[in-house]
Amino acid sequence: GAGVSQTPSNKVTEKGKYVELRCDPISGHTALYWYRQSLGQGPEFLIYFQGTGAADDSGLPNDRFFAVRPEGSVSTLKIQRTERGDSAVYLCASSAAPSTNYGYTFGSGTRLTVV
Amino acid sequence: DAKTTQPPSMDCAEGRAANLPCNHSTISGNEYVYWYRQIHSQGPQYIIHGLKNNETNEMASLIITEDRKSSTLILPHATLRDTAVYYCIVRVHNQGGKLIFGQGTELSVKP
């Protein structure tokens, strides 16, 4: 596609529920990134995929968070037993190669609200 | 990756140049300076990057000091649509992985 697509754009869930957030990167982009952004803060890195494998998952806050990219394109961020503190905008970005000096392209994000 | 320091907010009159500073005094030789901006309710957008030479593209100019410890992003004729949070990031050349965002500078362009 023309850009990075994230679905849904908004998600409201109850505390304790499981959620999945989807990211469709730009076609052909091998690198994919997930970030989380709380109100008034800069984006916070969560995980980076190169192809199908997670090259860096050091930003995942705890084991309730998990992400997959089984075929090296679409990625899903999964959050178990959601907590109110998980409320944030979850951003996805992709880039053409891990070593590129060109910019990363971000999606518009999924706004997650845990009530 | 080196840490960056930016003023939390700035104002600029519409049509005037906006000069956004960034300090990165601990930058190492193989780190590039990147600028992104984030307009409200959108994801960050790449603007420009550079190593040591000044760079210009259709969006902005990037001036990097000779010692590379600071840089300035210049929007030559700011418009209301340039109102956004601007992030200065340094990262290693030829290394994949995360961008580390700070708090950025909230630029308000006023009529």
Side-chain angles (χ1 to χ4, degrees):
Chain A
V4 177
S5 175
Q6 292 188 246
T7 53
S9 55
N10 282 283
K11 176 72 176 178
V12 180
T13 191
E14 293 181 347
K15 179 174 176 293
K17 298 289 189 183
Y18 167 82
V19 296
E20 290 189 351
L21 311 179
R22 178 186 168 106
C23 173
D24 282 85
I26 291 174
S27 179
H29 278 192
T30 58
L32 184 147
Y33 310 82
W34 284 100
Y35 288 79
R36 175 169 73 171
Q37 187 170 26
S38 301
L39 192 63
Q41 304 294 314
E44 172 194 16
F45 170 77
L46 296 177
I47 186 170
Y48 151 53
F49 287 90
Q50 177 52 37
T52 60
D56 182 354
D57 65 358
S58 62
L60 294 177
N62 52 59
D63 62 6
R64 295 187 298 105
F65 289 75
F66 189 71
V68 295
R69 195 185 185 202
E71 297 178 357
S73 55
V74 170
S75 177
T76 304
L77 178 66
K78 309 180 181 198
I79 310 175
Q80 299 177 321
R81 304 183 304 280
T82 52
E83 300 176 356
R84 292 198 177 87
D86 299 334
S87 296
V89 175
Y90 288 81
L91 294 162
C92 177
S94 68
S95 67
S99 60
T100 183
N101 270 325
Y102 295 97
Y104 297 63
T105 303
F106 282 82
S108 295
T110 294
R111 181 176 298 279
L112 176 66
T113 304
V114 182
V115 297
Chain B
D1 293 334
K3 181 180 166 58
T4 63
T5 305
Q6 299 177 253
S9 63
M10 292 181 64
D11 290 342
C12 178
E14 187 178 18
R16 303 298 294 267
N19 298 288
L20 294 98
C22 179
N23 287 321
H24 31 79
S25 58
T26 60
I27 192 169
S28 40
N30 60 349
E31 287 183 313
Y32 278 62
V33 180
Y34 284 79
W35 284 83
Y36 282 76
R37 74 177 182 186
Q38 188 172 24
I39 296 169
H40 183 61
S41 297
Q42 296 182 22
Q45 175 193 21
Y46 165 80
I47 300 173
I48 199 167
H49 73 277
L51 180 63
K52 56 183 177 181
N53 297 319
N54 297 340
E55 302 288 344
T56 295
N57 63 20
E58 66 278 3
M59 290 182 69
S61 294
L62 174 60
I63 308 297
I64 303 174
T65 57
E66 191 169 344
D67 63 7
R68 304 209 321 121
K69 295 187 177 190
S70 65
S71 60
T72 301
L73 180 75
I74 301 172
L75 309 178
H77 306 287
T79 71
L80 299 179
R81 289 180 297 178
D82 291 322
T83 292
V85 178
Y86 287 77
Y87 296 99
C88 169
I89 299 166
V90 295
R91 67 183 296 269
V92 176
H93 174 62
N94 271 347
Q95 183 178 77
K98 54 191 179 254
L99 298 173
I100 306 295
F101 290 85
Q103 301 280 66
T105 295
E106 184 167 9
L107 176 69
S108 297
V109 181
K110 299 181 184 299

